[in-house]
Amino acid sequence: MTPAGRSPELLSPPEVEALAREAHAAQKDKAGRPYAEHLRAVAEGVRRRGGDAEQIAAAWLHDAVEDDALSERWLAEAPLSRRTKDIVLALTKRAGEPPEAYAERILATPGARLVKEADLAHNADPARLAVLDATTRARLTAKYATMRALLGLGETPVP
C-alpha cells in the first residue's frame, strides 16, 4: 500500500510487454527465432480467445521464471495483480514434475488454462514444428498432445 492507502500502480500492458521482451532478449526458440515472437503469439492467442488484461500479462511472462529470465522473487515483488502472478507461477514447470501434476496446478488456477491453451497452440503450430528435425518434431508433438489431453483441450489446437 502507498502512504495514501492505495495499492501501487500496476504495470501497464505495454510495460509488461516491454519488460518481457527485454527479459528474453537474448533467448531464441527451438527454431532459432527470437523468443519474443513466441511471447507475442501467445499473448495474441489469449486475446483472440477472449482473455482479459491479467491473462494477457501472464502470457507475456508465462516462461519468464521457468527460463530464469526473471526470478521468482522479482515476480513476487512486481507491480502485477495477484491473479497474473498466480497464472505465471501455475505455468512455471518445476524440475522433475510429472505432466499430470503440472496440468493439475494449471487447472486449479483461475485463468491459467486459457493461457496454456494459447501457448500450446503456438508451440504446436505446424509451421514452427516443420523447421525442427523429425525426432524433435515427433517428441514435441506427442508432448503437446499429452498436455492438451490432460487439460481437456481436445486434439486439435486452434491458432
Side-chain angles (χ1 to χ4, degrees), residues 43-64:
E44 179 59 23
V46 168
R47 188 197 60 75
R48 278 195 319 273
R49 287 168 172 79
D52 59 31
E54 291 173 317
Q55 289 169 302
I56 293 169
W60 277 106
L61 298 170
H62 77 277
D63 282 332

Side-chain angles (χ1 to χ4, degrees), residues 19-59:
L19 192 141
R21 286 180 178 279
E22 182 180 333
H24 290 276
Q27 191 176 350
K28 304 285 184 195
D29 69 9
K30 289 175 182 66
R33 303 289 308 157
Y35 202 76
E37 291 178 9
H38 171 64
L39 302 176
R40 181 192 47 74
V42 175
E44 179 59 23
V46 168
R47 188 197 60 75
R48 278 195 319 273
R49 287 168 172 79
D52 59 31
E54 291 173 317
Q55 289 169 302
I56 293 169

